[in-house]
DNA sequence: GGTGCAAATGCAAGAAGTCGCATCAGCCAC
DNA sequence: GTGGCTGATGCGACTTCTTGCATTTGCACC
């Protein structure tokens, strides 16, 4: 399930989490409420460890295993989606306005978003050749950026 | 540095590791010799944890931190290259005959290789638009395969 | 064959999760 | 409001990997 881009839709998505859980026979607990509060104030990306930390600031009794399990549930609801950062660790896209992947340079550690139009050559090729539907949020491409390859990855430009 | 595809080139690449280390002022130790022996008998992919285990079978005194540090060194020599598996953990391509990425279905847990021709639409688009050189060995694409999307990801076909 | 320096190792502590299990508590029915 | 079912939490053990530091050892040079 995807979430729309307007401010109202974003606010609505968070407000509806409680009801969406109950519809599925799942429960609305103080721990989940805290996590949703923190996520609603988060823009862009967050790792599990970062979320544990931010929840602990508000409630020091926060338990990591509960946070990680709830992240799984929230992803099933479609309110967050994970990709993988430079080191392969999961990073959650929090209500992404526009679905995107990530591009990392292994030379300079730079990173850029990959928007849908840029990914479409791959997405279309896999769809046509295999009927495979690529998850763009989950796409992480690594390589060497233009600056780093002309620098040979080491020298500083003048 | 990339390694060729013939049997002779593969054997040669392993045999030259000792000299390639020394050229760089690095050392050839019993621990490194063991790891190279194990890797030379490995086809395809291996994780750090798997390599630790296989080294321990031959030398129970094997220490994980030594293995992980040596994997970094061997990757710098170009004799292995890492990508990321389904869970984001590093997986090392051991003397890959043909460089390839991986495609994972999140519905059925299926996986397939992505060979260069299939990746070339993405590789060319990023090269043209950004001058970015994609590392195909490092590419992991996740999504839903044809069977899983026609099944709605759950039903069994008749 | 010794010597010395820098690289590598072993070890221990810690980070980031994951999992099983006993206990707790949301929530639906009454 | 109470009770009870079942899902969620807390907790502890474990996995996989990382890092700092003291100690060891490869190897270039003589
Ligand atoms: Mn990587
Ligand atoms: Mn993933
Ligand atoms: Zn760069
Ligand atoms: Zn599938």
């Amino acid at each position: 399930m995807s979430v729309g881009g307007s401010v109202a839709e974003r606010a609505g998505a968070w407000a509806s989490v409680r009801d969406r859980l109950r519809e599925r026979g799942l429960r609305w607990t103080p721990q989940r409420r805290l996590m949703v509060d923190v996520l609603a104030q988060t823009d862009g990306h967050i790792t599990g460890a970062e979320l544990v930390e931010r929840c602990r600031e508000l409630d020091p009794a926060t338990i990591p295993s509960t946070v990680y399990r709830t992240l799984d549930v929230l992803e099933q609801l479609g309110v967050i989606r994970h990709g993988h950062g430079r080191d392969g660790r999961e990073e959650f896209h929090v209500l992404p306005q526009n679905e995107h992947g990530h591009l990392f340079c292994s030379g300079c550690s730079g990173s850029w978003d990959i928007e849908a139009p840029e990914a479409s050559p791959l997405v279309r090729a896999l769809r046509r050749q295999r009927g495979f539907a690529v998850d763009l949020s989950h796409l992480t491409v690594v390589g060497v950026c233009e600056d780093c390859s002309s620098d040979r990855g080491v020298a500083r430009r003048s």
Side-chain angles (χ1 to χ4, degrees), chain A:
Chain A
M1 188 239 184
S2 73
V3 169
S6 79
V7 172
E9 283 171 314
R10 286 160 56 85
W14 291 120
S16 70
V17 168
R18 172 186 155 143
D19 294 333
R20 308 248 303 287
L21 286 168
R22 291 210 184 151
E23 281 164 21
R24 298 189 176 206
L26 307 178
R27 292 171 189 173
W28 182 241
T29 66
Q31 294 85 351
R32 290 181 174 180
R33 190 187 188 313
L34 174 62
M35 283 182 60
V36 167
D37 285 351
V38 170
L39 289 171
Q41 288 174 248
T42 300
D43 241 40
H45 313 102
I46 192 168
T47 64
E50 284 163 2
L51 182 55
V52 168
E53 188 136 351
R54 294 192 47 195
C55 285
R56 268 210 232 270
E57 287 168 14
L58 300 175
D59 177 1
T62 301
I63 301 296
S65 55
T66 298
V67 171
Y68 289 108
R69 284 189 280 229
T70 298
L71 281 168
D72 286 346
V73 171
L74 294 177
E75 188 162 21
Q76 282 163 35
L77 289 189
V79 82
I80 56 177
R81 307 192 61 175
H82 86 267
H84 295 265
R86 188 184 311 284
D87 51 7
R89 281 167 52 198
E90 285 187 342
E91 268 183 16
F92 293 87
H93 292 218
V94 180
L95 280 186
Q97 331 267 42
N98 42 0
E99 203 184 6
H100 63 274
H102 295 280
L103 188 65
F104 293 110
C105 173
S106 49
C108 63
S109 294
S111 81
W112 301 268
D113 285 355
I114 302 176
E115 308 291 345
E118 199 164 14
S120 76
L122 175 75
V123 170
R124 277 188 237 186
L126 287 173
R127 166 101 58 197
R128 270 197 34 246
Q129 293 166 31
R130 305 203 189 227
F132 190 96
V134 172
D135 176 0
L136 175 57
S137 293
H138 200 292
L139 185 68
T140 295
V141 180
V142 177
V144 179
C145 77
E146 182 156 38
D147 287 355
C148 287
S149 56
S150 57
D151 287 348
R152 267 89 151 278
V154 183
R156 195 144 298 294
R157 57 189 41 226
S158 53

